Amino acid sequence: MYFAALLARTEDGWEASDTELDNVETLADLADLARETVGEDETAVVLIEQEDAWFGVVRVDGEDDPRVFISNAAVATRSSYGTMLTDELLGHEESDTDDLDALNLDGTEDGEPDQGEDEAEDSVAARAPHGPLGDAQLLEDFGIDEKVLLALEGDALSDIADMIGCSDLLEAVR
């Protein structure tokens, strides 16, 4: 079970909204969604978690590239939203030509398992560290330094929201 919320830092303080990720396929899509929600010069923080297995934080400041932190990259690569975040950090970018090159018509279209897909997933998971990945300093200006972010466990999203002063808003959209 996933939960995603978007926290927007505005002139009036924090605003929170439940974020639907069904149409989000890439980190760029997620950044665009966050930018649509906040003003040009405002900050958006997207919090994503899969139960207690892993959590991710994506920070979008205006038109700057998004900054990403994932609590456990190896575990995150086993989920679609986690893969969306880890692919960018691990340098795996998919393109249409990759899809065409990977197309293998050796009988797998008849319902036989495609060993190539499993190997590709294993390769991405093998490159992912068993632990944190990304920019652990992305929330420092909100009072959450790297050491604190790296130590979070359990209900980390609530802890983050509490530390930046918007736990009531996060709980309202949960």
Side-chain angles (χ1 to χ4, degrees):
M1 181 89 172
Y2 291 97
F3 172 73
L6 186 132
L7 303 174
R9 178 96 186 248
T10 68
E11 293 174 359
D12 301 326
W14 288 101
E15 296 176 6
S17 60
D18 187 13
T19 303
E20 185 61 48
L21 300 178
D22 288 346
N23 295 325
V24 175
E25 295 179 8
T26 66
L27 182 58
D29 292 343
L30 183 59
D32 290 343
L33 176 68
R35 287 184 187 106
E36 289 171 10
T37 305
V38 298
E40 287 182 27
D41 297 326
E42 295 173 344
T43 297
V45 176
V46 179
L47 303 173
I48 303 171
E49 71 178 352
Q50 181 183 12
E51 297 168 353
D52 287 336
W54 66 273
F55 71 91
V57 180
V58 179
R59 178 176 176 160
V60 179
D61 294 302
E63 291 300 318
D64 292 346
D65 288 339
R67 297 166 63 189
V68 179
F69 172 79
I70 302 163
S71 65
N72 190 328
V75 174
T77 60
R78 297 184 200 130
S79 68
S80 59
Y81 297 130
T83 300
M84 171 184 64
L85 301 176
T86 57
D87 279 355
E88 181 84 16
L89 294 173
L90 296 172
H92 175 74
E93 295 180 22
E94 213 171 281
S95 69
D96 293 339
T97 57
D98 290 341
D99 290 342
L100 292 175
D101 291 341
L103 187 60
N104 184 0
L105 299 177
D106 63 355
T108 58
E109 69 276 7
D110 295 328
E112 297 174 18
D114 184 359
Q115 300 301 328
E117 286 180 23
D118 291 339
E119 290 171 12
E121 287 178 17
D122 290 342
S123 171
V124 172
R127 290 184 296 153
H130 292 278
L133 178 67
D135 184 356
Q137 299 173 346
L138 78 167
L139 298 175
E140 279 192 344
D141 58 332
F142 297 133
I144 303 174
D145 67 20
E146 179 176 4
K147 186 181 277 188
V148 171
L149 188 62
L150 292 171
L152 292 176
E153 294 180 356
D155 193 8
L157 300 191
S158 292
D159 293 340
I160 290 170
D162 187 44
M163 286 184 263
I164 63 175
C166 63
S167 58
D168 292 343
L169 295 172
L170 180 67
E171 291 308 314
V173 297
R174 204 175 264 245

